[in-house]
Amino acid sequence: MQVTLRIRRFNPEKDQKPYWADYTLDNVEPTDRVLELLHRVKWEQDGTLSFRRSCAHGVCGSDGMRINGMNRLACKVLVNTLGEGDALTIQIEPLLGLRVIKDLIVDMEPFFEHYRSVMPYFVNDDPPPEDGRERLQSPEDRERFDDTTKCILCACCTTSCPSFWANQDYLGPAAIVQAHRFIFDSRDHAAEERLKILAETDGVWRCRTIYNCTMACPREIEVTRAIGEVKLAIARGSVE
Amino acid sequence: MQTHQYEAIIVGGGGAGLMAALYASRSVKTAVISKLYPTRSHTGAAQGGIGAALGNLEEDRPEWHAFDTVKGGDYLSDQDAALTLAEEAVSAVIELEHLGLPFDRTPDGRISQRRFGGHTSNFGDKPVRRACHAADRTGHMILQTLYQQCIKNEVTFFDEFQVVDLIRSGDAVVGVIAVNIDDGELHIFHSKAVLFATGGWGRVWEITSNAHSLTGDGNAITYRRGVPMQDMEFFQFHPTGIYKMGILITEGVRGEGGVLINDKGERFMEKYAPHIKDLASRDVVSRAIYLEIEAGRGINGQRYVYLDVTPETVNRYLAEAGEDRRITREYIETKLPDILDFCRTYLGVDPVTEPMPVQPTAHYGMGGIPTDLHGRVVVDAQRTPLPGLYAAGECACVSVHGANRLGTNSLTDLIVFGRRAGKHMAEYCQGADFVALPENPAGEIQEELERLRKADGTRKPYQIREEMRQVMMKHVSVFRTAEGMQEAVETIRRLKDEYANNLHIDDRGKRFNTDLFEAWELGCLLDIAEVTAVSALAREESRGAHSRDDFPKRNDEKWMVHTLAYRAADGGVELNHKKPVDMSLAEKDEKFKPKERVY
Ligand SMILES: Cc1cc2nc3c(=O)[nH]c(=O)nc-3n(C[C@H](O)[C@H](O)[C@H](O)COP(=O)(O)OP(=O)(O)OC[C@H]3O[C@@H](n4cnc5c(N)ncnc54)[C@H](O)[C@@H]3O)c2cc1C
Ligand code: FES
């Protein structure tokens, strides 16, 4: 089939403002990934087209972008999920809410700054078990936070959130997901501190339960639900 | 040009680099430089598990683990290294748990373990549960946990900085040159010691499980600065990559009971490895798949076979083997969620009801930058260290994995030897002074990058790259012959010439010029492909992952040596075959002496 990629391009080194550019590709297989099409444009037609990518199978989080208006990983979207027929146009833009560095590449620093601010690390200063072995955790306690361990920090959720678009000081869903992963880990000791951070003005209360984040997550994390659990824990003053 | 000063520089933010950083940063001023955000390193793609003889579900011992490692490596592993790996694996995994890693748990709350290829109890007796795992996302959890701890410990990161050269002054290593990818500016990092942890180079081959970023940069950089590459002819093809795409299907699938099936519906591994069947070493299984395909028993005569983990099939074989265990659909969903997701997304195949089409995929480099047990880079057959230079992880060759790596042993390697290297590096820095930078240290690389940026010939990087990947897939993969490898060497040399004289790139800008970096990385891949093919051609035997039609037998008389490949003055490859394998375990124990490898 024939596919036209309509790509939002911008290189501040030489462009006054962003513009749309069309690239037509022949012999596209319906099972091709959008990332492969981007590569074909870059390799065969225009080497200046810039985007991030690495693993090419949805586990590293490099290639989050807006594909037909939805935040997706380009390597995880097959052409046949976007339409059928002999000819198809796919629209691709950078993630919203973060400064564009070049073409589909956005500045991730503010995103990682929010991430770092929620103490996204394990805290437990008790001495480890005397037998020198692992701390014990029941399968049920482990299951409690399983969903949020899956996050790959691709920013698809945060940059799909209208509250984040409106106010970029909002920590955003990804940071809350990361905090959730530790708050509900029975081995961790810093839940209280994290809940305090998340209870501040730019924390969970900016979430309006719009569900865009859950729709956007390529790892199928129930983001809105995780945020809800954090809200509840703050309201109750406990993680039980 | 900005100059930074850190006592210790770590190049690479994958499992090995981060582990070393956690240790080094405790006592010396340390920075990690990574071309990717660390959490995007390919360690995050590791699925099945990390090997350690914890014995949480059945009896296990480090010496059995060491034995399996040596045998799996077809006796080319340095035995002191294999023992170190196996012994320290236990504390390494426990340390990860203490750092918060969310392993799957046994009913009594311990770290859960499963079977993996080549891992046995009692010196080859029967498969043992040694692979510690978090579903099929073990690498993701390791990478996240280590990165989180680095944040906690305020380790300094230079993210999206690409290291392009190593600075040496006389005998000393004094730093690296990196480009800030964002604005294209060169930076000099002046240091007392440098550790490379840049990962693998699977992108040399057409079908691979490796990320686009795995282009062997660290190996190429050090090679160009006089460090040899060791045992590069040994590159592992993992038996089960998704057909045509190469995406990995973890061996954990077979560990949970999955089986390989040919077009006739036969479980063909019964023929090639009667004892442990589908859980034989990867080299053995990959060859079996190739032979089945060559004999016309690929599915519908095509170049793939089936990997079947449907409860129906698995339970039938479990019953046949007299085992009590049975699996359910739900069990598969919880133990292999990502594998199911990959197959459903990319193939439209649901592994709980249908088999998966698989073929061998280029996966892991056993060779690399030679090091000793402390991660110090050693530059000759006498194992002389080059002071201040370290390597760890997949880019390094300790050599633990010998001629063939066992599944789960790479993640163990990252943690055990990343930790050792980080510690040693810190001690070294405390006792060393900064050596002055040479004059204009970035001159040479700046010139090369400018050449690439302006390259105005007729061949685009991807054209050269695809040709390289195809010829390497055809001639330097699972089965090899002299003619084929000769052809590969000649093709690579022609491609190197085109790269030097007739390259074309489009992007002449400074900002996020991925066109330029892809071109520079292609240069690394070509060096590595050449060394691999030349090293393979010279080794006239079959051992582990290096299997030759014209020399089908292992030759212990002549080839119990490591290959060292140096860059010659004329740019070609110079080989040295004088570095003997460490046999310290065999000296004390018959069982570790080379013998025929049967599974
Ligand atoms: C799909 C898959 C599944 C696997 N599953 C398992 C498993 O279950 N068990 C197991 O033991 N092993 C497994 N392996 C192997 C194992 O995951 C890898 O060997 C290991 O993760 C490599 O880690 P590393 O730290 O050496 O490198 P990586 O994690 O690849 O990291 C390399 C780092 O170097 C940086 N870098 C590279 N070049 C440069 C440069 N020029 N400048 C700056 N930075 C640079 C990158 O940014 C990155 O941070 C698997 C491998 C794959 C591909
Ligand atoms: S390239 Fe890694 S998630 Fe898409």
Side-chain angles (χ1 to χ4, degrees):
Chain A
M1 65 196 284
Q2 192 185 66
V3 171
T4 302
L5 295 189
R6 160 159 290 201
I7 304 176
R8 189 73 169 164
R9 299 209 51 184
F10 179 49
N11 179 359
E13 259 184 357
K14 57 186 183 54
D15 303 325
Q16 295 291 319
K17 54 183 200 309
Y19 61 97
W20 291 101
D22 287 358
Y23 302 89
T24 301
L25 294 165
D26 293 317
N27 303 322
V28 172
E29 296 288 331
T31 51
D32 283 346
R33 294 164 266 186
V34 171
L35 179 63
E36 287 168 280
L37 306 191
L38 286 169
H39 270 143
R40 277 186 61 191
V41 171
K42 183 174 180 65
W43 294 339
E44 296 166 13
Q45 301 186 23
D46 185 352
T48 66
L49 176 68
S50 304
F51 50 90
R52 293 187 178 104
R53 89 286 184 260
S54 184
C55 72
H57 66 286
V59 297
C60 78
S62 294
D63 57 345
M65 53 188 76
R66 260 165 92 80
I67 300 175
N68 286 353
M70 301 271 285
N71 281 3
R72 314 285 296 271
L73 299 173
C75 66
K76 239 191 142 177
V77 181
L78 268 52
V79 173
N80 60 18
T81 64
L82 298 173
E84 294 169 7
D86 297 334
L88 185 70
T89 300
I90 302 173
Q91 183 172 307
I92 305 177
E93 306 155 76
L95 296 173
L96 297 179
L98 296 170
R99 178 182 63 94
V100 175
I101 293 177
K102 185 180 176 189
D103 295 338
L104 302 172
I105 297 169
V106 294
D107 180 6
M108 297 294 294
E109 267 323 304
F111 173 81
F112 278 104
E113 217 174 283
H114 288 328
Y115 161 73
R116 286 190 296 263
S117 73
V118 299
M119 304 176 66
Y121 40 77
F122 185 71
V123 177
N124 180 336
D125 296 329
D126 290 353
E130 273 178 20
D131 61 0
R133 303 290 298 213
E134 65 265 51
R135 295 194 166 95
L136 300 182
Q137 182 170 51
S138 71
E140 297 70 37
D141 284 346
R142 166 66 179 78
E143 181 59 26
R144 180 68 189 85
F145 63 100
D146 188 61
D147 201 34
T148 45
T149 62
K150 297 188 302 201
C151 174
I152 55 175
L153 295 166
C154 65
C156 282
C157 58
T158 297
T159 59
S160 73
C161 172
S163 304
F164 178 74
W165 297 337
N167 177 355
Q168 276 131 44
D169 291 331
Y170 170 38
L171 294 178
I176 302 171
V177 160
Q178 288 289 335
H180 178 284
R181 179 253 170 270
F182 293 100
I183 291 170
F184 294 95
D185 184 338
S186 57
R187 302 168 300 167
D188 182 90
H189 287 173
E192 237 172 83
E193 281 165 83
R194 289 191 201 94
L195 290 174
K196 226 164 100 194
I197 296 167
L198 293 172
E200 284 168 16
T201 345
D202 292 319
V204 286
W205 305 116
R206 291 219 181 267
C207 164
R208 297 279 180 268
T209 326
I210 300 167
Y211 279 94
N212 275 12
C213 51
T214 303
M215 303 283 290
C217 179
R219 303 286 288 166
E220 292 171 16
I221 299 171
E222 294 183 72
V223 182
T224 311
R225 179 180 163 156
I227 298 174
E229 289 177 354
V230 173
K231 286 178 178 170
L232 200 64
I234 292 172
R236 285 197 186 142
S238 126
V239 298
E240 292 313 312
Chain B
M1 203 175 300
Q2 228 177 308
T3 302
H4 311 257
Q5 208 178 49
Y6 289 89
E7 292 176 282
I9 288 289
I10 291 170
V11 186
L18 295 181
M19 193 68 190
L22 274 180
Y23 273 85
S25 65
R26 284 180 191 169
S27 50
V28 297
K29 193 178 168 205
T30 304
V32 179
I33 308 177
S34 178
K35 68 178 178 180
L36 305 172
Y37 277 98
T39 56
R40 295 170 180 181
S41 307
H42 213 52
T43 293
Q47 303 168 353
I50 172 166
L54 301 183
N56 279 355
L57 287 152
E58 55 193 329
E59 188 190 358
D60 199 4
R61 298 187 199 157
E63 50 177 321
W64 297 345
H65 187 185
F67 172 83
D68 292 336
T69 301
V70 167
K71 176 178 170 187
D74 217 350
Y75 300 93
L76 195 74
S77 307
D78 282 330
Q79 299 190 347
D80 53 349
L83 186 66
T84 304
L85 177 94
E87 284 181 339
E88 295 184 11
V90 176
S91 70
V93 167
I94 299 294
E95 179 171 357
L96 289 174
E97 197 284 329
H98 291 168
L99 294 176
L101 197 141
F103 283 107
D104 283 7
R105 299 288 169 156
T106 62
D108 59 352
R110 302 208 161 270
I111 295 171
S112 178
Q113 299 186 276
R114 66 171 152 226
R115 292 174 180 170
F116 240 77
H119 289 281
T120 67
S121 57
N122 205 8
F123 306 103
D125 190 25
K126 60 179 191 350
V128 71
R129 275 164 234 198
R130 187 178 289 148
C132 312
H133 59 272
D136 52 1
R137 311 185 177 113
T138 314
H140 168 75
M141 302 299 189
I142 291 179
L143 187 64
Q144 295 286 328
T145 301
L146 293 177
Y147 184 60
Q148 291 154 358
Q149 291 299 312
C150 283
I151 294 177
K152 187 176 179 193
N153 291 293
E154 297 178 351
V155 173
T156 305
F157 284 96
F158 289 85
D159 295 334
E160 297 193 326
F161 273 60
Q162 183 132 359
V163 171
V164 285
D165 204 357
L166 170 69
I167 316 172
R168 292 185 67 174
S169 177
D171 283 340
V173 165
V174 290
V176 297
I177 312 282
V179 187
N180 180 356
I181 299 175
D182 183 55
D183 63 8
E185 292 302 324
L186 281 168
H187 292 241
I188 294 169
F189 288 86
H190 185 198
S191 69
K192 296 178 180 176
V194 175
L195 179 136
F196 280 90
T198 49
W201 51 93
R203 284 279 143 187
V204 163
W205 287 268
E206 187 181 9
I207 305 285
T208 179
S209 64
N210 282 197
H212 286 281
S213 56
L214 290 175
T215 48
D217 305 2
N219 304 66
I221 289 169
T222 50
Y223 176 67
R224 292 166 188 171
R225 292 289 170 202
V227 174
M229 289 196 227
Q230 179 173 314
D231 295 341
M232 294 297 283
E233 61 271 40
F234 300 102
F235 196 89
Q236 176 167 81
F237 280 71
H238 190 293
T240 59
I242 293 182
Y243 180 47
K244 285 193 177 159
M245 306 180 95
I247 298 172
L248 193 79
I249 303 294
T250 173
E251 202 166 280
V253 168
R254 280 170 286 139
E256 299 290 0
V259 291
L260 290 160
I261 304 285
N262 66 15
D263 194 45
K264 297 179 133 174
E266 296 161 337
R267 183 187 185 185
F268 57 86
M269 282 313 298
E270 289 177 334
K271 202 163 54 189
Y272 299 93
H275 201 52
I276 59 175
K277 308 187 177 87
D278 300 84
L279 286 174
S281 269
R282 289 178 180 172
D283 55 335
V284 175
V285 181
S286 284
R287 277 195 291 276
I289 294 175
Y290 257 61
L291 290 171
E292 289 297 303
I293 289 172
E294 290 307 317
R297 292 191 291 271
I299 305 301
N300 299 321
Q302 304 284 308
R303 301 199 64 79
Y304 65 92
V305 296
Y306 278 143
L307 174 60
D308 192 341
V309 73
T310 59
E312 200 191 355
T313 305
V314 172
N315 290 337
R316 181 154 48 85
Y317 284 111
L318 284 175
E320 232 173 66
E323 289 199 45
D324 299 336
R325 203 169 71 94
R326 295 290 178 272
I327 64 165
T328 60
R329 193 193 166 104
E330 293 69 37
Y331 179 80
I332 299 288
E333 298 269 0
T334 55
K335 284 296 177 186
L336 301 164
D338 278 5
I339 296 300
L340 302 190
D341 182 36
F342 297 152
C343 290
R344 287 165 183 162
T345 303
Y346 296 116
L347 295 168
V349 163
D350 189 348
V352 295
T353 56
E354 303 161 84
M356 304 164 249
V358 295
Q359 77 181 130
T361 182
H363 185 57
Y364 182 87
M366 271 73 72
I369 307 170
T371 73
D372 66 9
L373 298 181
H374 300 292
R376 288 188 294 187
V377 173
V378 293
V379 291
D380 57 23
Q382 291 72 45
R383 302 178 189 245
T384 312
L386 176 62
L389 191 62
Y390 292 78
E394 189 169 338
C395 74
C397 178
V398 183
S399 144
V400 165
H401 312 298
N404 171 66
R405 170 174 75 84
L406 292 189
T408 78
N409 266 358
S410 171
L411 293 176
T412 313
D413 176 358
L414 308 184
I415 305 305
V416 167
F417 290 101
R419 183 165 73 174
R420 284 178 151 255
K423 277 187 199 167
H424 199 280
M425 189 183 193
E427 279 166 29
Y428 175 83
C429 289
Q430 284 169 324
D433 293 321
F434 280 100
V435 173
L437 287 165
E439 208 172 315
N440 192 16
E444 223 175 300
I445 189 68
Q446 194 166 20
E447 209 173 286
E448 171 65 1
L449 291 172
E450 280 316 302
R451 175 186 82 81
L452 292 174
R453 195 197 308 279
K454 299 194 181 105
D456 203 14
T458 62
R459 292 274 277 172
K460 290 203 173 190
Y462 93 93
Q463 294 170 315
I464 297 178
R465 189 173 56 226
E466 292 317 303
E467 214 183 317
M468 169 198 71
R469 296 177 69 199
Q470 281 163 16
V471 76
M472 291 297 285
M473 195 72 197
K474 190 154 171 225
H475 292 307
V476 196
S477 59
V478 176
F479 282 108
R480 304 164 174 189
T481 64
E483 300 75 60
M485 288 185 285
Q486 193 61 51
E487 191 186 319
V489 172
E490 279 156 27
T491 306
I492 301 297
R493 292 206 166 130
R494 173 172 54 75
L495 294 174
K496 282 185 83 166
D497 185 60
E498 289 176 12
Y499 179 79
N501 298 306
N502 191 23
L503 190 72
H504 178 95
I505 80 166
D506 293 337
D507 197 337
R508 314 251 178 251
K510 292 282 247 178
R511 179 178 283 238
F512 235 103
N513 190 340
T514 51
D515 204 17
L516 173 71
F517 287 109
E518 273 191 37
W520 180 80
E521 289 168 348
L522 172 61
C524 296
L525 289 171
L526 286 168
D527 277 357
I528 290 174
E530 184 188 16
V531 168
T532 303
V534 169
S535 301
L537 186 58
R539 186 175 279 269
E540 297 186 330
E541 65 159 351
S542 288
R543 182 187 298 272
H546 175 65
S547 187
R548 293 185 61 153
D549 290 350
D550 43 359
F551 294 93
K553 288 243 157 16
R554 198 175 78 199
N555 180 347
D556 292 337
E557 304 263 287
K558 185 149 176 241
W559 288 105
M560 287 295 286
V561 289
H562 298 292
T563 304
L564 294 177
Y566 295 85
R567 188 168 185 275
D570 66 355
V573 183
E574 218 168 79
L575 297 180
N576 167 310
H577 291 123
K578 297 205 170 71
K579 184 176 181 181
V581 174
D582 178 275
M583 300 293 283
S584 46
L585 298 177
E587 279 157 24
K588 286 171 279 178
D589 187 344
E590 266 311 295
K591 288 194 285 295
F592 285 86
K593 289 215 167 111
K595 54 185 84 58
E596 202 187 339
R597 206 155 139 256
V598 282
Y599 281 104

